[in-house]
Amino acid sequence: MNENLPPCPKCSCEYTYEMNALVVCPECGHEWVPDENGAQGADANAEKVVKDSVGNVLQDGDSVVVVKALKVKGSPSGIKAGTKVRNIRLVDGVDGHDIDCKVDGFGAMQLKSSVVKKA
């Protein structure tokens, strides 16, 4: 039995155990496949890579172009395809919205990386 099992990534419980190829947390019931790299795997998870609709890697401060028309609540017209958005910020947003930005004419909002293309 491996004495160096990682703590649970959800609740940080240290009493994890192995079950076949999985590691299981007895407190919250979370199951996951352990990383082969150990500490290097934790660094890879900390730095999330965000890609646009065509696979380009996005970074803070990039400019992007909206590739499909988007509906906006409370607005009679939405954001048109081809709208350029400057100086984006990557965030861990809710429901897949991982870009925080200001869109001209609409103000601050969050966008999904799947609906933009790097400019």
Side-chain angles (χ1 to χ4, degrees):
M1 183 171 198
N2 187 359
E3 298 296 326
N4 298 326
L5 291 175
C8 178
K10 282 199 171 182
C11 69
S12 302
C13 173
E14 60 187 35
Y15 302 111
T16 57
Y17 62 92
E18 288 181 302
M19 184 173 64
N20 298 329
L22 298 175
V23 177
V24 181
C25 175
E27 289 186 6
C28 69
H30 180 63
E31 299 177 349
W32 73 98
V33 177
D35 287 338
E36 301 294 327
N37 305 14
Q40 292 178 351
D43 292 338
N45 290 339
E47 190 172 324
K48 183 181 169 188
V49 176
V50 177
K51 295 184 178 184
D52 66 2
S53 62
V54 294
N56 297 325
V57 177
L58 296 174
Q59 296 177 347
D60 286 346
D62 282 346
S63 294
V64 294
V65 176
V66 177
V67 295
K68 74 180 224 180
L70 303 173
K71 294 181 182 177
V72 178
K73 285 185 180 177
S75 173
S77 64
I79 299 173
K80 295 179 181 176
T83 303
K84 189 168 185 176
V85 180
R86 295 181 192 90
N87 198 18
I88 64 168
R89 216 176 45 150
L90 302 178
V91 295
D92 283 334
V94 180
D95 210 20
H97 295 83
D98 46 10
I99 296 174
D100 197 17
C101 61
K102 288 185 181 177
V103 180
D104 291 339
F106 292 96
M109 62 177 43
Q110 290 188 341
L111 299 173
K112 292 184 178 182
S113 59
S114 61
V115 296
V116 299
K117 179 176 76 171
K118 192 171 184 176

